Amino acid sequence: MEYFKEREAEINGSLLAVLSGENLLFLGPPGTAKTLLAKNVCQSIEGGNFFNYLLTSFSTPEEIFGPLSLKALEEDEFRRKIDGCLPTAHLALLDEIFKASSAILNSLLTILNEHKYHNGREIVDVPLLSVFGASNELPEEDESLEALYDRFLFRYRLAYIQDDENFRSLLFRTLGDFEPAVQISVSQIEELRASAENLPVDPDVELIITELRRALQLREIEISDRRWKKVVQVLKVAACSSGCPTVDRTMALLLQHMLWNLPEEREAIRKTVFELVVSGGISTEKLRLDAGDLKAAISIALINELPIGTVCDSCGEEFSLRQEVEAHHNMHPNHSYKLKREGDSRIYPYDNLIREIDSLQESSGKTAALSPAQKEVFENEYEDLAGRLKGVKKRFEKERELLRDLMEANIWLSTLDRNEALLLHDTRSEELSEIEGLMKEIRSVLGLQIRPSGHVEAEAEVNAEVKAKVPVPDSSSSSAGFMKGLGSRFKLR
């Protein structure tokens, strides 16, 4: 990007945080352009006031909220002169935010929660669209700081520039002052939020969020209901500002920046989000495991089938399965056995019987057969699994084009996100081919015939549904026009 190297996701997140009215936290070392980025984003707001301050443990409320009004004190009133301070800003960057003193923290929480500031007897409406917090490290265990941390919905971990070419460009190429190509007014932002309120959410997005919440709970990552509610509203704003008619599942890729509590959780959450979005909330990994389990179960059952009828010489009980003989032996370790074949009257102790059975199984060269009851159970499991696989495969066959078109319409995704989603889709398609191979093996063992698909009409319906879901952005809307103009300056695409 022209002004901010390797900061595409952070720029997208900063703009979306402002439009959706949420706060954003930059976690990382100093010198990573946090202040410059926040200041330039503020320039894109028509008439926007920017407030920036570096907090320390010795910072006083006067530095953040303004000095005491001497004139008010003469009238026995406690009031601050807030002009030019945080209570009058549209966008603020508070560096080292977790070092704020308790005196600052109490008022800060009220501003973040309610956008209100108690200035003496007066309650002031704070025009803040978003507060950008920055810190080198996460707060220590402290209830007040944890409450502050929870108010930052967007979270980004910043690092120094990694690419050599980007590093050289930063050092040796001079750029002019940043000037936004287009600006958006506060009233337009409010209109965007109002329009986003009633934007419908696709069913597969509901499924993705539900499955994601379950996956996070299994990892003992708890997200409050309040944050989940905010997340959905952000996705609506993202879709509305992209000109999309609904919140489609590519919007859910943005969840990777809003759900982690600790930096070490980021990668696991990102991976889970991408897997659910690409597969529409369906786990292809579970399909593969289920197919493998079914094949293994059939193999075990076939090995378990005795090659020849066996009867207990001591009590006369007959067996057709190895596990039945084993269970009988455990109950009656002294019993002996006979094989039900003509001209054979030998009596076998248990150990000798097992060796003879293994020898017969090996020398027969015949595929062991399943009992009718077993075959029926396995066939039902196969048909259920085949139906699930067919549904997923049908979706994947035409989905790459759909996924690409949806992501092109989604202005908030970084190039890295787009490429990774398409790569993962290709990987999942390969996995489906492997699962199909497993299913063919299972079908062969069960002796099932390949049934003609006969699903041409069904596939046509699916394809029609796919095309219908590709959004047509409304470039005439003020928000879409703003994002196009702003994107050309920040180079969002």
Side-chain angles (χ1 to χ4, degrees), residues 282-291 381-394 432 439:
I282 300 171
S283 174
T284 54
E285 175 65 14
K286 189 174 189 306
L287 274 175
R288 186 186 66 79
L289 291 174
D290 288 349
E381 290 186 19
Y382 171 85
E383 293 295 339
D384 176 68
L385 188 57
R388 290 164 53 197
L389 178 60
K390 183 188 297 182
V392 175
K393 187 173 184 296
K394 190 183 297 182
L432 287 177
M439 296 296 286

Side-chain angles (χ1 to χ4, degrees), residues 24 45 108 123 131 145 175 209 221-222 278 313 316 398 428:
L24 178 145
I45 301 170
L108 193 57
I123 299 178
V131 172
L145 292 180
L175 295 173
I209 291 177
I221 300 175
E222 291 293 339
V278 169
D313 184 62
K398 295 294 182 181
R428 288 291 175 267

Side-chain angles (χ1 to χ4, degrees), residues 55-244:
L55 293 167
T56 71
S57 56
F58 301 104
S59 297
T60 63
E62 285 76 14
E63 299 170 58
I64 308 300
F65 308 113
L68 290 174
S69 171
L70 297 179
K71 185 176 180 180
L73 286 175
E74 291 176 356
E75 300 173 0
D76 294 331
E77 288 188 23
F78 186 91
R79 191 167 65 247
R80 296 186 183 279
K81 299 176 67 174
I82 61 176
D83 291 342
C85 298
L86 181 62
T88 61
H90 292 94
L91 195 68
L93 173 68
L94 300 178
D95 210 350
E96 294 300 335
I97 189 168
F98 298 121
K99 293 183 179 178
S101 63
S102 58
I104 294 175
L105 189 61
N106 292 333
S107 296
L108 193 57
L109 284 174
T110 304
I111 289 177
L112 294 176
N113 290 343
E114 307 163 18
H115 285 192
K116 304 283 186 183
Y117 176 66
H118 294 267
N119 191 14
R121 299 176 185 176
E122 182 184 8
I123 299 178
V124 179
D125 289 325
V126 177
L128 271 174
L129 297 170
S130 183
V131 172
F132 289 13
S135 178
N136 295 334
E137 56 190 5
L138 289 176
E140 301 289 339
E141 288 190 8
D142 180 289
E143 289 187 4
S144 299
L145 292 180
E146 288 177 0
L148 177 64
Y149 180 49
D150 194 58
R151 296 304 183 270
F152 290 90
L153 185 65
F154 287 84
R155 295 164 182 180
Y156 291 89
R157 182 67 183 263
L158 273 66
Y160 294 124
I161 290 175
Q162 303 297 309
D163 182 77
D164 289 344
E165 181 58 34
N166 288 337
F167 179 72
R168 286 193 294 270
S169 177
L170 175 70
L171 266 59
F172 304 115
R173 296 175 190 169
T174 303
L175 295 173
D177 293 335
F178 177 86
E179 294 181 6
V182 65
Q183 290 184 316
I184 187 170
S185 66
V186 174
S187 61
Q188 287 176 309
I189 294 176
E190 291 174 350
E191 289 175 7
L192 172 63
R193 294 179 189 172
S195 300
E197 279 286 344
N198 299 319
L199 201 69
V201 179
D202 287 350
D204 51 359
V205 176
E206 296 182 12
L207 176 61
I208 287 167
I209 291 177
T210 302
E211 290 298 319
L212 180 59
R213 177 173 176 264
R214 183 179 293 114
L216 295 183
Q217 288 174 335
L218 291 175
R219 290 192 175 97
E220 297 184 350
I221 300 175
E222 291 293 339
I223 308 296
S224 67
D225 293 341
R226 180 179 61 83
R227 287 181 68 84
W228 281 116
K229 184 70 174 177
K230 284 178 172 288
V231 157
V232 173
Q233 186 58 32
V234 168
L235 298 186
K236 288 184 177 183
V237 172
C240 189
S241 57
S242 296
C244 298

Side-chain angles (χ1 to χ4, degrees), residues 15 44 180-182 481-492:
L15 294 170
S44 301
V182 65
F482 162 71
M483 292 313 305
K484 282 188 175 181
L486 194 60
S488 67
R489 189 63 181 171
F490 280 95
K491 295 190 183 297
L492 291 174

Side-chain angles (χ1 to χ4, degrees), residues 39 49 104 168 171 232 255 274 294 319 388 434 457 461:
K39 185 176 181 180
N49 297 322
I104 294 175
R168 286 193 294 270
L171 266 59
V232 173
L255 296 174
F274 271 78
L294 178 57
F319 313 100
R388 290 164 53 197
E434 293 176 3
E457 293 181 2
E461 291 174 3

Side-chain angles (χ1 to χ4, degrees), residues 392-400 425 429 459:
V392 175
K393 187 173 184 296
K394 190 183 297 182
R395 183 168 189 163
F396 265 69
E397 284 175 349
K398 295 294 182 181
E399 191 176 58
R400 196 180 197 281
H425 180 274
S429 296
E459 290 180 3

